Amino acid sequence: MKSIKIATFGSHTALQILKGAKDEGFKTIAICEKGRTAPYKMFNVADEIIEIPSFGDYEKYEHLLIEKNAVFIPHGSFVSYYSLDKIKKSKVMYYGCKNILKWESDRNLERQWLQKAGLKLPMVFESSEDIDRPVIVKEHGAKGGSGYFLAQDKKDFEEKIKTKKIGKYQIQEFVVGAPVYIHYFYSPLDGKLEIMSMDKRYESNADSLGRINTNDQVALNINTSYTVVGNFPIVVRESLLHELIEMGENVVKASRKIEEPKGTWGPFCLETILTDKLEFYVFEISARIVAGTNPFIDGSPYSYLNYDVPMSTGRRIAREIKNAVNSNRLNEIVE
Ligand code: ATP
């Protein structure tokens, strides 16, 4: 325990990962881009800060983490900087299943995984000819929904697509309902699944259009955009938990079929729209810690039920590593 350190990129969910690691008794390392250390100094979560010119240069500095016996915790900023090939080549102890990233980063593979888990997904239209309802058009690799647009029908789609400079995209049924993002944690050490917390995103300008009356919305010709600016906590109706638990368990089981034999472990998130018929449509999965866990640095109503200390997802990861070290099973959860 004493020799192992916890390291992550200074961004995304690093505050809770590092704070959680310290609370569990680890020394911590933040790898920061030059000049972007302020939050990690202000909140005093890092025992050591390694400044590098850009996250893209991380490979050159990896050896420092190996020398320091660090376990690296991946999060959204890491996954967006590093291709699967590079992640696979990396020799630093990495928390999580590397191969599962392939399944979450490709829209078609992601769909296969979620379908194998028996989840309800929005329809996908392979050709614009087939559009028969409102759709959301998603550019591949769009960050925070910024490259998305909505179309009411086929005609509207065809008019709008002409005016856009977008690369590859997917046309998805637009599901009307409330977004709910469920943060799970699966431990292969004891075979248990936990719901850690839930959030909805605060998005610009989707969440601010209600502040302008309809006439002004039309006059200003605003296109709905979904750039994430923050996150709100959610607690769902208790009767919905049965289904959410089953959905999470099915995702873990399906992951063992696509990435045999171990499947995925650690944190993952299902991004859903809950309709007025109380049906969950899952439009995305993230197989790692998500930024929606950030409102819960001191725990959530759900983690409060399971733990007698404030348990963020970041701290849960550190607890898992501690449990693995203490039972000599670290090799089962790092790659
Ligand atoms: P990230 O990869 O960070 O999760 P993203 O760029 O892939 O973000 P999404 O989270 O997929 O973006 O979607 C952005 C917004 O679009 C979300 O608020 C979500 O509610 C909405 N959205 C996505 N898919 C659908 C859908 N099929 N029907 C209705 N709304 C949707």
Side-chain angles (χ1 to χ4, degrees):
M1 254 309 275
K2 281 205 187 103
S3 74
I4 289 182
K5 299 190 171 68
I6 299 290
T8 196
F9 277 4
S11 168
H12 194 260
T13 38
L15 288 173
Q16 59 163 305
I17 291 172
L18 300 175
K19 163 82 171 123
K22 280 174 89 68
D23 288 343
E24 291 298 312
F26 290 100
K27 292 271 184 236
T28 59
I29 305 169
I31 300 129
C32 292
E33 291 192 311
K34 213 160 185 51
R36 297 187 58 84
T37 56
Y40 309 99
K41 287 182 177 155
M42 173 184 270
F43 299 112
N44 199 23
V45 290
D47 293 302
E48 195 179 335
I49 293 181
I50 301 177
E51 273 189 80
I52 65 177
S54 132
F55 287 141
D57 296 311
Y58 165 67
E59 275 167 292
K60 293 182 218 148
Y61 299 86
E62 256 191 7
H63 64 97
L64 295 176
L65 295 188
I66 296 173
E67 285 156 21
K68 293 174 195 292
N69 209 22
V71 175
F72 185 86
I73 314 297
H75 55 49
S77 303
F78 179 69
V79 171
S80 68
Y81 266 92
Y82 274 82
S83 64
L84 182 59
D85 269 355
K86 280 193 178 171
I87 295 177
K88 274 182 165 171
K89 277 185 202 134
S90 160
K91 295 274 186 290
V92 180
M93 284 190 281
Y94 172 99
Y95 173 71
C97 169
K98 290 182 175 177
N99 267 348
I100 209 72
L101 298 176
K102 172 179 91 190
W103 292 87
E104 59 136 56
S105 60
D106 175 307
R107 284 201 198 283
N108 297 326
L109 291 178
E110 177 182 44
R111 232 179 137 74
Q112 285 178 33
W113 178 8
L114 297 173
Q115 277 167 339
K116 272 194 206 313
L119 305 184
K120 207 173 286 134
L121 313 183
M123 279 175 68
V124 165
F125 296 96
E126 296 304 338
S127 152
S128 59
E129 284 302 308
D130 303 330
I131 298 176
D132 63 354
R133 63 193 72 198
V135 291
I136 179 163
V137 183
K138 302 182 167 188
E139 188 174 6
H140 283 260
K143 294 256 156 45
S146 56
Y148 291 6
F149 70 91
L150 304 184
Q152 291 165 36
D153 50 30
K154 192 161 91 182
K155 187 162 161 276
D156 189 32
F157 169 85
E158 267 147 21
E159 273 164 20
K160 284 185 174 154
I161 197 81
K162 274 190 236 152
T163 65
K164 308 269 175 197
K165 283 199 195 91
I166 64 173
K168 280 174 95 179
Y169 56 82
Q170 187 181 67
I171 309 171
Q172 245 180 43
E173 166 188 14
F174 184 79
V175 182
V176 179
V180 181
Y181 294 66
I182 307 107
H183 319 136
Y184 296 91
F185 188 93
Y186 173 68
S187 166
L189 300 179
D190 60 9
K192 278 195 192 146
L193 178 79
E194 290 161 60
I195 289 178
M196 299 300 300
S197 47
M198 299 177 204
D199 80 297
K200 69 170 240 170
R201 293 175 176 177
Y202 192 32
E203 292 164 329
S204 194
N205 53 26
D207 287 319
S208 49
L209 292 176
R211 293 157 53 91
I212 310 171
N213 77 39
T214 319
N215 292 338
D216 289 338
Q217 288 180 24
V218 175
L220 293 170
N221 191 22
I222 301 168
N223 268 327
T224 320
S225 60
Y226 296 93
T227 307
V228 183
V229 296
N231 305 83
F232 296 110
I234 296 189
V235 170
V236 291
R237 289 167 62 159
E238 195 157 312
S239 56
L240 294 169
L241 287 175
H242 296 273
E243 192 175 345
L244 292 182
I245 293 168
E246 203 177 318
M247 284 162 63
E249 285 173 347
N250 288 341
V251 164
V252 174
K253 275 188 213 142
S255 78
R256 294 197 195 112
K257 293 190 189 135
I258 56 173
E259 272 310 319
E260 292 176 331
K262 284 169 68 180
T264 195
W265 63 89
F268 67 95
C269 171
L270 291 180
E271 305 185 4
T272 74
I273 304 281
L274 180 55
T275 68
D276 57 358
K277 298 200 173 56
L278 298 182
E279 291 179 312
F280 286 101
Y281 282 81
V282 180
F283 61 89
E284 196 160 310
I285 181 166
S286 296
R288 48 161 174 86
I289 186 169
V290 293
T293 58
N294 280 338
F296 308 103
I297 294 191
D298 61 347
S300 79
Y302 298 108
S303 70
Y304 176 73
L305 295 167
N306 273 336
Y307 297 93
D308 41 18
V309 293
M311 187 58 72
S312 66
T313 294
R315 183 167 182 180
R316 182 65 188 83
I317 294 171
R319 173 74 62 96
E320 184 80 348
I321 294 170
K322 185 160 102 179
N323 289 343
V325 171
N326 289 338
S327 55
N328 243 335
R329 296 175 68 186
L330 188 60
N331 60 344
E332 291 177 35
I333 59 165
V334 301
E335 290 195 339

